[in-house]
Every structure is written in structure tokens, then in C-alpha cells.
Amino acid sequence: MKRKLLVYAHYFYPDVASTGQILTELCEGLQEEFDITVICVVPSYDGKVESRYKRKRIHREDYKGMHLLRVRVPEFQKKNKISRVKNILAYFFNAIIATFSAGKQDVVFSISQPPILGGVLGVIGKKLKRAKYIYNIQDFNPEQTEAVGYSKSRFILNFARGLDKYSCKKADTVVIVGRDMKRTLETRFQGQDVPSNIVINNWIDEKQIYPLPAENPQIVSFKEQYELNDKFVFMCSGNIGLYYDLENIIKVIGEFKHEEDVVFAFVGDGIMKQTLVDYVQENGLDNVKFIPYQDKEDLIYSLNAADAHLVTNAKGIKGISVPSKIYGVMASGKSVLGVLEEGSEARLLIENSNCGKCVCPGDYASIKSTIAEIIKNKASFKKMGAQGRKTIEDKLKKDTSIDRYAEMLNLK
């Protein structure tokens, strides 16, 4: 008989949150070995909730043989803190209620989303189900909040850190997604026993994202639709959020406004998007384009439409978070301009595979000079991307990471 696995996913298919996609693929990969129940929100990543999901507290669904308990949450606006907090708290309390409907479980698995509360949910699930508990930290909080100054209350920050440390201590294994994050976990527990932990990289499905020729009809169509034809395309694909310093990097990009054969394309959405849009409009940056999120099946075409990809983190994010977009960029065989701290996981991936160039966050003069150098040497820079694809195939395949999860879960 299969062992039973309860997953607190927050977001899950069809929501486009990167953690939702990772957890959807992880659960799909573990299905043969586990009977899986997922507790997640009703589809709502864009802040909207369909009317059919507003009627009941818990909606039971099946997805590829998995049991989904989707919990009701209120609609929210990404820039409105109060509405976001209400949404998150609704998920937290409704997920606890849904746990009572989940039956017997052998293993509980939660992630660090929503911040702090994701870990607490796992601890509650462990106690209610008397099960083993695996805590997957995608982002360390409140460290991430501190790094960008989103909250400066020492009381709140210290309380949140203490709560997340408690979740780590109660976990049978803490899974972290970058080598640099291991040091952060150790720093949290200086002078104390560090919880059992393992580093397992995130991934992209390399069978769905791979290099395509420029003349591919869908790529040609994508470029025509968004006026990228006959341009050297710098692309930033994914969440346009708080932790990437894009509100300052856009000012550097603005210094290339007269490069008529170069275009900077932002594909996706997020809390900082309107800030970028406003800057572009106010400063007449005609070679900056904003493109909506692409459906998962179309991501291969948008990623391949770029000549170079921009992968960034704000200063201070090293060891706290790994931008998961790096895996899709490398899988598509495209070169990378990384604005990343030395020793951070994403920068190590770029440097070790030699698939691009890196500069440090906050060093805007170097960002500008590196963009200028790339524009000057377009052909040679584009060739570097093939090394990223090779690294994915040799070391970072999706099944490699999922097999490591399966092995870890089965040992417990």
C-alpha cells in the first residue's frame, strides 16, 4: 500500500506562481510512490477568484489522481498590504480546517509560503496527523523582508524569526534549494544543534523547455506580436516583485534608450510592475516592452525569443532565496546577465557553467558597462548559452531533483 503524503502547497496548478509550478511537478513525480493530498488555495494568483469558488469553504477536486482540498480565500490587490494579509490569513486558517478532512497521513510536507505561516502549517499538520514533517524552505523569512527593508520593526522581525526557527526545529528534515542557503540555516542556529537538512535544487522540466531555432513559427509570431523583430532582445521573465532591484535597474536600462536595435522585454507581472511602467512612460523608453505572463505550454517560445536573459536579486538576498527563473533560462540555451551576489546559488550556476556574465547588485556602473559590452559583442555572448543547457542536461534534470525528494521522503 502506498504511503500517504499531505502537501501544504499554498498555490498549485493552474496558478502560475513559481512555487506552485514546482510543487505541482513534484507531486506529479511522487505519485507512483505516494497517495497524495494537497491543501491549496482556490485558483487566485492574480488576485481574482471565480464565483464558483466563493460558495464553499473547502472544494474537493482531483488532479491527475491526487486529492485536492482547495480552500476559499478573498480576492486581493497585490499592492494593498491589508488585502494580501487577509488573503493569507484566510488560507492559513482554512487550511487548518481542511487538515481535519485529510484523513490519516504518514508524511506532511510544507513550504515557506506564505512566509512564516507555511512552516507553522506544517508543524500543525505534523501534530494533528502524528506524521513525519518535511519543511521545504524556498525563501528565508523574515531575512528576505529585512534585506529589502519591507519591515523595520525589530519586535515583529524577531518574533517571525523565532517562529520560523521553531518550524525548522520541529521538522524531521529541512529542505533548502541552494548551497548558499545552508549557511543561512546554520547562522540561525549558531551555538545550537542545526536541524537535519539537505540541499535539493529547484528545476525546470528540460523536456518542455529546450533550445529552438529562431525561425520557429511560434517564436516568429511572438516576436511579431510584441515588436521584437530584428532586435537584440534582453529579457527579464517571471515575477516582477520586491526582491529583484528592478526599480533601480530600469534606470540603467533607460541609459540605452537610443539603442534602436536593442529591446528590453519584461515578461510577467508583480507588485513592482507598475513602478517600471511609470518610469518607462515618464522617460520615453520606446525600447522597453511589457509582455503578459505566458501559459506554461508557451513559455518555451517566449524564453527562446530572447538573445540574453536578465536574472537578478537585490543586494542582501544571497543565502535567502534563489531566483528559479535561472533554470528555465539555462534550459533554453540562452546566455545570462546575472545581477547576483558572489557565492549565491544562481551566480554559482552561471559561473560554473560559463553561460553568461555576472555583476554585483547595486553596482550600477558595472551593470551599465556589462550591458554595453554585451551589445558590442552580441554574437560571442549569445554562444555562451549553450553551456547552460549542457549543465542542465548533465546535472540539473527535473527527475534528478524529484528522485532526491523521493529518496529523502522514503528514508523517513
Side-chain angles (χ1 to χ4, degrees):
M1 182 180 292
K2 290 182 182 179
R3 298 176 73 201
K4 293 182 178 293
L5 173 64
L6 174 63
V7 178
Y8 293 101
H10 192 196
Y11 290 112
F12 198 76
Y13 177 87
D15 278 325
V16 297
S18 59
T19 52
Q21 294 183 40
I22 286 287
L23 285 178
T24 299
E25 292 185 359
L26 175 61
C27 289
E28 290 171 351
L30 295 174
Q31 247 188 306
E32 289 188 11
E33 299 186 50
F34 292 91
D35 181 3
I36 299 173
T37 299
V38 179
I39 297 178
C40 56
V41 296
V42 298
S44 55
Y45 183 65
D46 63 355
K48 304 298 181 184
V49 177
E50 291 181 37
S51 58
R52 66 190 176 102
Y53 283 120
K54 295 179 179 179
R55 298 175 194 138
K56 295 190 299 182
R57 185 186 297 272
I58 299 172
H59 297 260
R60 293 180 177 272
E61 296 179 0
D62 286 325
Y63 173 74
K64 295 187 175 180
M66 290 175 257
H67 318 292
L68 303 188
L69 299 176
R70 295 195 184 274
V71 300
R72 184 177 63 202
V73 290
E75 294 185 340
F76 67 95
Q77 296 175 349
K78 293 196 174 186
K79 281 200 169 186
N80 186 313
K81 285 186 183 180
I82 294 175
S83 73
R84 286 177 69 89
V85 168
K86 287 180 178 178
N87 178 277
I88 287 170
L89 289 176
Y91 165 66
F92 177 72
F93 289 111
N94 285 336
I96 294 172
I97 293 169
T99 303
F100 289 97
S101 302
K104 183 184 182 303
Q105 299 291 329
D106 300 302
V107 183
V108 169
F109 184 103
S110 77
I111 66 167
S112 54
Q113 292 294 328
I116 311 302
L117 296 181
V120 175
L121 267 180
V123 174
I124 292 170
K126 172 189 171 97
K127 291 181 181 298
L128 290 177
K129 300 304 177 185
R130 298 179 181 178
K132 298 293 184 181
Y133 172 37
I134 309 300
Y135 185 22
N136 177 207
I137 298 182
Q138 294 283 330
D139 310 286
F140 275 107
N141 272 294
E143 288 88 344
Q144 186 170 232
T145 302
E146 285 179 295
V148 297
Y150 197 60
S151 173
K152 292 183 171 63
S153 167
R154 295 316 308 171
F155 173 77
I156 292 174
L157 292 170
N158 288 335
F159 176 75
R161 194 182 340 270
L163 202 55
D164 206 53
K165 283 179 66 176
Y166 176 76
S167 298
C168 291
K169 285 191 284 189
K170 289 298 179 182
D172 293 275
T173 300
V174 176
V175 180
I176 42 185
V177 296
R179 289 162 282 184
D180 53 342
M181 294 176 72
K182 187 176 182 71
R183 177 61 183 156
T184 304
L185 183 65
E186 292 168 350
T187 300
R188 273 187 170 188
F189 289 91
Q190 280 184 347
Q192 308 171 48
D193 290 335
V194 178
S196 173
N197 63 87
I198 183 174
V199 178
I200 304 179
N201 286 83
N202 283 344
W203 63 84
I204 194 77
D205 187 343
E206 77 286 349
K207 295 174 184 174
Q208 292 185 357
I209 305 295
Y210 48 84
L212 289 174
E215 59 272 17
N216 178 280
Q218 284 92 339
I219 295 175
V220 172
S221 174
F222 179 87
K223 285 187 169 185
E224 286 178 350
Q225 182 177 358
Y226 296 108
E227 301 176 339
L228 308 179
N229 275 334
D230 304 318
K231 309 282 187 182
F232 184 85
V233 181
F234 277 95
M235 183 176 288
C236 181
S237 177
N239 183 32
I240 306 175
L242 283 169
Y243 309 111
Y244 308 107
D245 197 32
L246 294 174
E247 67 274 21
N248 289 309
I249 292 173
I250 193 68
K251 298 173 184 176
V252 179
I253 289 172
E255 299 190 43
F256 295 89
K257 64 187 290 184
H258 301 300
E259 294 280 352
E260 295 182 358
D261 62 341
V262 176
V263 65
F264 297 87
F266 291 86
V267 182
D269 204 346
I271 195 170
M272 296 305 297
K273 181 177 178 178
Q274 192 57 49
T275 300
L276 304 192
V277 170
D278 291 344
Y279 186 87
V280 166
Q281 291 176 345
E282 289 165 7
N283 292 274
L285 308 187
D286 294 332
N287 63 344
V288 177
K289 307 291 183 184
F290 293 96
I291 300 170
Y293 267 121
Q294 300 299 295
D295 291 337
K296 188 175 180 180
E297 58 268 24
D298 295 328
L299 184 61
I300 184 173
Y301 308 119
S302 62
L303 290 175
N304 272 282
D307 297 294
H309 279 269
L310 183 64
V311 176
T312 75
N313 258 348
K315 192 173 183 179
I317 296 296
K318 172 187 173 182
I320 295 173
S321 178
V322 179
S324 55
K325 66 183 70 176
I326 185 63
Y327 300 103
V329 172
M330 291 173 67
S332 66
K334 298 300 178 179
S335 302
V336 193
L337 170 55
V339 183
L340 304 158
E341 291 172 277
E342 292 183 6
S344 63
E345 179 68 25
R347 182 158 178 163
L348 289 172
L349 291 173
I350 295 167
E351 291 177 338
N352 292 344
S353 64
N354 194 31
C355 68
K357 297 181 180 294
C358 293
V359 294
C360 290
D363 187 352
Y364 303 115
S366 292
I367 296 172
K368 179 183 176 181
S369 63
T370 304
I371 291 175
E373 180 187 348
I374 291 170
I375 292 172
K376 184 178 178 181
N377 301 287
K378 299 183 183 78
S380 60
F381 184 73
K382 285 171 65 173
K383 290 178 182 177
M384 299 178 76
Q387 296 301 316
R389 175 67 194 187
K390 186 175 187 303
T391 297
I392 292 288
E393 292 179 347
D394 290 348
K395 301 176 181 178
L396 295 169
K397 287 183 177 179
K398 181 181 101 170
D399 287 348
T400 301
S401 288
I402 291 177
D403 287 346
R404 293 192 67 203
Y405 272 103
E407 180 181 2
M408 180 265 300
L409 288 165
N410 280 315
L411 287 174
K412 295 295 177 182

